[in-house]
Amino acid sequence: MSGKKILIIFAGICLLLVSAVILNPSTQHTSLISKEENSSETNNSNERDIFNSFIINNWGNANHKVNVELLDSKNNSEFSKSYTSVPGESIEKKFPVTPKSGEKIVVTLDNKITKTQTVAEGSTGLSLYIDVDMVTSDPLGLSIVLP
């Protein structure tokens, strides 16, 4: 009888160990999924923060004045602000209002070169990249990136 008891106790301990080994990785897996989901929610939140924004990149060797203006469909200014762009520096700003389809973003470099980008339909969450002195023959480049 004591042999049976020892065998039953041994089998019980083995079952507890096996269940602990099986449950522990699945618990870790579940917690990793939760962490990944939380991390992606945080990343999405960060991405949302930069949507409807503009980024000025100065690739050259000189400071430049960059004016960014948002015009509504009737050419009324909804936003206009000038920035001093320093070589090797990026300036990232959010538009104070959401650019809508048909509106225009007008960027002027050093009060000399002006380029206009029209906001296309379905361009919610846009980011406008303003590249200064990236190409010497064309010192002002505009590109819209959508999510």
Side-chain angles (χ1 to χ4, degrees):
M1 188 131 163
S2 74
K4 282 187 178 182
K5 284 185 181 180
I6 292 175
L7 188 57
I8 292 173
I9 292 172
F10 180 75
I13 292 173
C14 287
L15 285 173
L16 285 173
L17 288 173
V18 168
S19 64
V21 168
I22 290 172
L23 289 178
N24 193 22
S26 67
T27 303
Q28 288 175 352
H29 180 69
T30 304
S31 66
L32 285 175
I33 290 172
S34 298
K35 286 178 188 174
E36 287 172 7
E37 287 173 356
N38 290 340
S39 174
S40 71
E41 287 173 10
T42 302
N43 288 341
N44 288 341
S45 170
N46 290 340
E47 288 173 4
R48 274 186 237 114
D49 289 344
I50 64 168
F51 289 161
N52 297 315
S53 63
F54 55 93
I55 298 96
I56 302 169
N57 295 305
N58 186 339
W59 302 97
N61 298 338
N63 290 353
H64 292 280
K65 180 181 174 189
V66 179
N67 188 69
V68 179
E69 185 172 21
L70 178 63
L71 301 175
D72 66 13
S73 58
K74 296 177 183 174
N75 285 333
N76 296 318
S77 181
E78 292 188 335
F79 168 77
S80 181
K81 188 152 183 179
S82 291
Y83 302 89
T84 299
S85 179
V86 176
E89 177 184 85
S90 290
I91 300 170
E92 184 177 328
K93 297 290 182 179
K94 255 184 103 139
F95 285 105
V97 294
T98 302
K100 297 178 187 87
S101 175
E103 294 183 336
K104 295 175 184 167
I105 303 168
V106 180
V107 179
T108 304
L109 178 65
D110 296 328
N111 294 320
K112 295 177 186 173
I113 301 169
T114 300
K115 290 197 177 180
T116 303
Q117 183 72 50
T118 303
V119 179
E121 190 172 329
S123 295
T124 56
L126 65 86
S127 291
L128 175 68
Y129 283 82
I130 303 166
D131 292 308
V132 177
D133 285 341
M134 187 174 203
V135 180
T136 54
S137 62
D138 188 14
L140 179 61
L142 304 181
S143 56
I144 285 186
V145 177
L146 299 173

